[in-house]
Amino acid sequence: MRLIAIALGWSAGIVLASGAGLHAAVPWLILALMALVVAWLMWSGANSRNWTLALVAFALGGLRYSFVPQSSDVAQYNNLGGLTIEGIVAAEPDVRDDRVEVRLEAQNITRIGQTTPSSGLVLVQASASAVLHYGDRVTATGSLVIPSVSDTFSYRDYLARSGVFSIMPDASVEVIGSGEGNALLRMLLDFKSQARKMISLSLPEPAAGLLTGILLGDARGLSPEISDAFSTVGASHIIAISGFNMAVLSGVVMGLLGRFRVRPRWAAVIGLSVIVVYTILVGASASVVRAAIMSSMLVIGALLRRKSYVPTSLAFVAVLLSVQNPTVLWDVGFQLSLFATLGLALFANPLTEYFNALLVRLFPRKTAVMVGDFLGEPLIVSIAAQIMSLPLIILYFGKLSVISLAVNLLVIPVQSVLMVLGLVATLLAFVAFPIAQLLFWLDMLLLGWTLGVVRAFARLPFAQVDVQVDPRLIALFYIVVIGGALMVATKPTWAARAASFIRSRQVVTSLAGAVGGTAILLILLLLSRPDGKLHVWWLDVGHSNAVLIQTPAGANILVDGGRFPSQLLTALGDRMPFNKRTIDLLVISQPDPFDYDAVSSVMNRYTVEMALTNGQPNLRPEYKALLEHLPPDKIVAGSAGYTFSMEDGTRLEVLAPQNTPQMGDSLNDSALVIRVSYGDISFLLTSDASQTAQLDLLKSGEWPLATVMQLPNHGGIRSLNASFLAAVQPQMVVLQSDPTNRLGDPNGDTLALVGNTPLVRTDISGAVHFWTDGKQLWEVGTR
């Protein structure tokens, strides 16, 4: 239990340090010293040791995260134009249909005729014809950019976890040397390349691509149709080195060995050997080694016959791996490996007992034993692993395969034979190719069965459904399951007394639970009531415009929404009352898909009472469909002079455009400029208004004075007119920007115009929240 307490505390420290942006080491060092003092003072009490250890681990976890690099030396050249990098290919090249991607360890940078030493990893994207190998010394010429962020996936964060903060797309690459890097890794990768070649020479596609994916973790040979089919039926774990397949493999292998009454010690040796060989074959990458270590815990735990060994060992492995790299906690492959293995440890034995008992009730004993021997292992292993991994799949991919269990029941029984046969054939091909060819053909029968099942089920129209679940519910699921497992393992006295009380007084406890739940809902309703202040949020939705306004009486106004539905819906769900499903006013500043693409998802979830646009016609089908959500009498085309006043004192004024724009007019010249006022405080929402729009507004005689001004067009080059800024006289300026944008925004000259006026930025602070009582103004960022 102490290891589990340490792991939970350590992980909590890392997560808090990351989420709160606490990267300074000194505060964490002071906290760690204080925690050590507390642990020393409290160590004599046996009951307090676990939580004091967790406290010390919490502080040390935060301290370890403070040393994680947040950038690299080479990243300073991002978005600065063309340059040439000289460095070493630091990992196996990723060969794709349209390009080759390599991770280049930079050593020198040449820019504007000057060469300077540098360091850091760069993801170089070269043409598909480039022939590159691990350990090659190369020069790559192109421009460095920041990795992108999409709706549900941050490529920037994904690469940052492995120390990559820059991408060079469409690079021109020249090999100037070879044979550098780690000699052992180079040998393993050469063996993997030769094994891939042997498989491709022995089997036709798609069987060759599938076996390569299963054995080597390299699914690049599979066509998109096959890859999509595996994803649709929930069988991607077979061809992905996420750890799920390795956890299932170890469970199936040990189960088969037990069925043949192999002695436990020999079974453990064979099981560990299979895992080790598989790890070497796929190149022994960091993710595969992690999965192999965790899967080995099941084998060793079964040998020692200790139910508590595996969860405790997983806790130890999690701490060990995150000491080496704290960002591993966010790695999806690591999470799937961890929870799939934990699922097998927690649920495999209980589910097996229930399954066998059910079979005995349904069939005669001999038949029950036969059915159990045939179906038990693949069925139970699949269910146990998926109990803990399925919520993660839903969280990250937003999809649920309703036929996953049936497909896995059909294909998993053959996977162990398929893998062993394929492995033997691949190794034998190096010394006796004709014999290996026969084994490959035998294996093709199993590969064909797997492909046939997957393809057949993938064609079913109901095979996969889109599922969106609140991440907090998924977190609650893991808290309940892991907490329950800890309770069962430790059997604390208070928990046993509580369980006894609930069993003896079921009616009373049910009534108390209902009353308690109702009371919590009432408290949440009271807390979500309007507080009499005007709230304005500039949402962090990338390089797009999105502003949420909540008036003192509780009306909700949404201005634009960006491109990413999941980000926008999450931002609204985090800030609007849970029982409020109405957008009282939707403002679309201009028919630019960068600003309104995500709004249709809002209209599917919320009732929109009224919409305000600039009235500019647009033939884009998505924009027309968006407006068709509302009847024509609920859509207002606003131009300068239009005013919208509310009973609570909130006032919305349209300052631009001066006239209703026509279809061919510039979007930015015609964008809505809105001032929202409450008492003495006002907010100027400029969206993407160009300098032309700003000057037209001044020429019209409008006075755009405001307390807070949004920097137009994300602070891009020549986006702000000095005269317009002087007329607004803002006390604060807000910049809505994406650090991964490739436009170079914000422009330095534009920021220089702002001068000493306080500037808050969503690319630095996250969503920016202002609120006011009409006299005073408060502001806070979310990061």
Side-chain angles (χ1 to χ4, degrees):
M1 279 304 299
R2 290 180 183 175
L3 267 176
I4 294 177
I6 291 171
L8 292 175
W10 172 269
S11 301
I14 292 175
V15 171
L16 178 64
S18 172
L22 303 176
H23 304 301
V26 174
W28 286 108
L29 181 60
I30 295 173
L31 181 60
L33 293 174
M34 293 173 61
L36 287 171
V37 172
V38 171
W40 179 70
L41 293 174
M42 303 293 293
W43 192 253
S44 58
N47 294 330
S48 61
R49 291 178 183 176
N50 285 339
W51 72 261
T52 53
L53 285 173
L55 179 62
V56 173
F58 172 81
L60 293 177
L63 178 64
R64 174 63 185 90
Y65 186 81
S66 67
F67 293 104
V68 173
Q70 302 301 310
S71 186
S72 65
D73 181 73
V74 74
Q76 65 180 303
Y77 297 97
N78 288 345
N79 299 327
L80 293 183
L83 48 79
T84 297
I85 301 175
E86 180 182 333
I88 307 297
V89 176
E92 181 185 17
D94 183 4
V95 181
R96 306 190 179 188
D97 288 343
D98 59 341
R99 65 186 184 277
V100 177
E101 292 189 347
V102 295
R103 300 196 176 204
L104 188 66
E105 180 64 52
Q107 294 183 342
N108 296 303
I109 298 285
T110 301
R111 182 172 178 266
I112 318 178
Q114 184 176 359
T115 300
T116 56
S118 187
S119 62
L121 287 173
V122 176
L123 182 65
V124 175
Q125 298 173 336
S127 67
S129 60
V131 179
L132 301 170
H133 303 90
Y134 167 76
D136 284 351
R137 176 174 291 274
V138 304
T139 59
T141 302
S143 298
L144 293 179
V145 298
I146 301 173
S148 62
V149 177
S150 65
D151 184 16
T152 57
F153 179 68
S154 174
Y155 196 41
R156 177 188 62 195
D157 293 343
Y158 169 77
L159 291 177
R161 288 195 287 271
S162 57
V164 177
F165 301 94
S166 308
I167 293 180
M168 181 180 282
D170 303 318
S172 175
V173 178
E174 180 182 356
V175 178
I176 59 176
S178 62
E180 301 190 40
N182 184 279
L184 177 60
L185 179 57
R186 191 166 61 249
M187 181 183 69
L188 288 176
L189 292 177
D190 288 343
F191 173 81
K192 180 179 177 181
S193 177
Q194 290 298 318
R196 186 188 301 116
K197 182 179 180 181
M198 293 296 181
I199 294 172
S200 63
L201 290 175
S202 305
L203 292 171
E205 295 294 348
L210 178 57
L211 184 59
T212 303
I214 292 173
L215 283 184
L216 307 179
D218 182 0
R220 293 172 296 183
L222 290 174
S223 68
E225 179 255 327
I226 300 295
S227 297
D228 291 344
F230 273 88
S231 176
T232 298
V233 302
S236 294
H237 56 84
I238 292 176
I239 55 174
I241 306 301
S242 65
F244 182 98
N245 54 337
M246 201 171 287
V248 171
L249 173 65
S250 63
V252 171
V253 169
M254 293 303 295
L256 289 173
L257 293 173
R259 190 175 303 147
F260 287 107
R261 302 186 184 278
V262 177
R263 296 178 63 180
R265 184 169 298 179
W266 285 109
V269 170
I270 295 172
L272 290 173
S273 299
V274 170
I275 292 173
V276 169
V277 170
Y278 182 71
T279 302
I280 294 174
L281 272 177
V282 298
S285 65
S287 61
V288 178
V289 171
R290 289 196 302 263
I293 292 173
M294 284 184 285
S295 299
S296 299
M297 295 302 103
L298 287 176
V299 179
I300 299 173
L303 177 63
L304 298 180
R305 299 180 180 178
R306 292 176 56 187
K307 293 183 179 179
S308 62
Y309 178 83
V310 173
T312 304
S313 298
L314 287 177
F316 171 73
V317 170
V319 172
L320 184 65
L321 293 175
S322 54
V323 166
Q324 189 270 331
N325 179 14
T327 62
V328 73
L329 296 181
W330 286 269
D331 186 277
V332 178
F334 168 78
Q335 294 175 13
L336 287 172
S337 299
L338 178 69
F339 286 110
T341 308
L342 184 61
L344 289 171
L346 294 179
F347 301 112
N349 288 338
L351 287 176
T352 300
E353 293 175 1
Y354 293 144
F355 182 67
N356 290 336
L358 178 62
L359 291 177
V360 169
R361 292 181 183 180
L362 297 177
F363 304 103
R365 188 168 189 82
K366 289 186 177 180
T367 305
V369 172
M370 291 177 59
V371 175
D373 288 343
F374 181 74
L375 294 180
E377 202 66 49
L379 180 63
I380 299 305
V381 166
S382 296
I383 294 176
Q386 290 196 40
I387 286 175
M388 296 299 286
S389 61
L390 191 59
L392 285 177
I393 295 172
I394 294 174
L395 174 65
Y396 289 119
F397 306 111
K399 296 183 181 297
L400 173 65
S401 175
V402 298
I403 58 174
S404 174
L405 186 59
V407 171
N408 280 279
L409 184 62
L410 291 171
V411 300
I412 283 184
V414 306
Q415 293 310 301
S416 56
V417 179
L418 187 156
M419 292 185 69
V420 171
L421 193 59
L423 175 61
V424 172
T426 302
L427 295 176
L428 196 58
F430 287 91
V431 293
F433 187 81
I435 299 176
Q437 180 67 79
L438 178 60
L439 295 180
F440 275 124
W441 285 340
L442 291 174
D443 208 26
M444 190 168 62
L445 299 176
L446 302 178
L447 292 165
W449 167 257
T450 302
L451 287 165
V453 170
V454 168
R455 280 174 153 173
F457 277 86
R459 295 190 186 101
L460 297 176
F462 56 84
Q464 188 180 67
V465 295
D466 293 332
V467 178
Q468 296 294 332
V469 179
D470 192 323
R472 290 169 292 193
L473 293 178
I474 293 178
L476 179 62
F477 166 81
Y478 285 114
I479 291 172
V480 170
V481 173
I482 295 174
L486 292 175
M487 291 296 178
V488 172
T490 58
K491 297 181 175 62
T493 304
W494 64 267
R497 291 175 179 174
S500 176
F501 179 85
I502 291 173
R503 284 194 295 268
S504 62
R505 297 172 176 83
Q506 294 185 9
V507 175
V508 174
T509 53
S510 298
L511 181 61
V515 172
T518 303
I520 293 173
L521 286 175
L522 289 175
I523 292 172
L524 291 175
L525 285 171
L526 290 173
L527 292 176
S528 64
R529 294 179 62 188
D531 59 2
K533 296 181 177 65
L534 176 70
H535 294 261
V536 180
W537 290 272
W538 269 270
L539 305 176
D540 184 15
V541 293
H543 215 58
S544 302
N545 189 47
V547 182
L548 175 64
I549 302 168
Q550 187 177 85
T551 72
N556 293 299
I557 302 172
L558 177 63
V559 181
D560 295 327
R563 296 178 294 156
F564 304 136
S566 295
Q567 291 185 19
L568 178 60
L569 289 171
T570 299
L572 296 181
D574 286 343
R575 292 163 179 83
M576 291 177 59
F578 72 92
N579 61 323
K580 181 79 171 181
R581 308 296 295 179
T582 301
I583 302 293
D584 299 277
L585 176 63
L586 170 65
V587 179
I588 301 176
S589 62
Q590 58 181 346
D592 183 348
F594 260 70
D595 292 328
Y596 71 74
D597 261 356
V599 174
S600 60
S601 64
V602 174
M603 302 186 83
N604 291 330
R605 302 283 189 94
Y606 295 84
T607 300
V608 177
E609 298 291 345
M610 179 179 175
L612 173 66
T613 74
N614 66 352
Q616 184 173 19
N618 191 280
L619 297 179
R620 197 167 184 259
E622 292 81 2
Y623 187 69
K624 295 173 68 176
L626 182 66
L627 297 183
E628 288 172 359
H629 273 84
L630 293 175
D633 61 336
K634 294 290 186 73
I635 303 175
V636 176
S639 56
Y642 179 82
T643 302
F644 189 86
S645 299
M646 300 183 181
E647 294 181 357
D648 58 15
T650 304
R651 178 182 174 87
L652 186 149
E653 308 166 79
V654 177
L655 305 184
Q658 304 310 307
N659 300 291
T660 301
Q662 302 303 308
M663 184 179 297
D665 293 344
S666 166
L667 295 180
N668 291 352
D669 291 349
S670 310
L672 283 174
V673 177
I674 299 170
R675 180 166 56 196
V676 179
S677 307
Y678 180 62
D680 300 332
I681 306 298
S682 56
F683 301 85
L684 189 66
L685 280 60
T686 59
S687 68
D688 290 342
S690 64
Q691 283 208 45
T692 299
Q694 298 165 35
L695 291 173
D696 287 346
L697 188 155
L698 296 178
K699 291 176 183 177
S700 70
E702 292 282 359
W703 188 25
L705 183 70
T707 313
V708 179
M709 183 192 80
Q710 177 185 10
L711 203 58
N713 204 13
H714 314 291
I717 186 170
R718 294 186 291 275
S719 62
L720 178 63
N721 182 270
S723 299
F724 180 77
L725 176 63
V728 177
Q729 300 178 38
Q731 298 176 25
M732 292 194 73
V733 175
V734 179
L735 169 63
Q736 208 163 20
S737 182
D738 182 356
T740 66
N741 81 87
R742 299 186 179 184
L743 302 174
D745 297 341
N747 177 258
D749 293 337
T750 301
L751 295 181
L753 288 176
V754 176
N756 294 324
T757 304
L759 173 68
V760 288
R761 304 169 50 161
T762 61
D763 58 344
I764 295 176
S765 302
V768 178
H769 178 201
F770 291 92
W771 67 100
T772 177
D773 59 2
K775 295 181 179 180
Q776 289 184 286
L777 178 68
W778 298 271
E779 174 270 327
V780 66
T782 58
R783 292 180 187 164

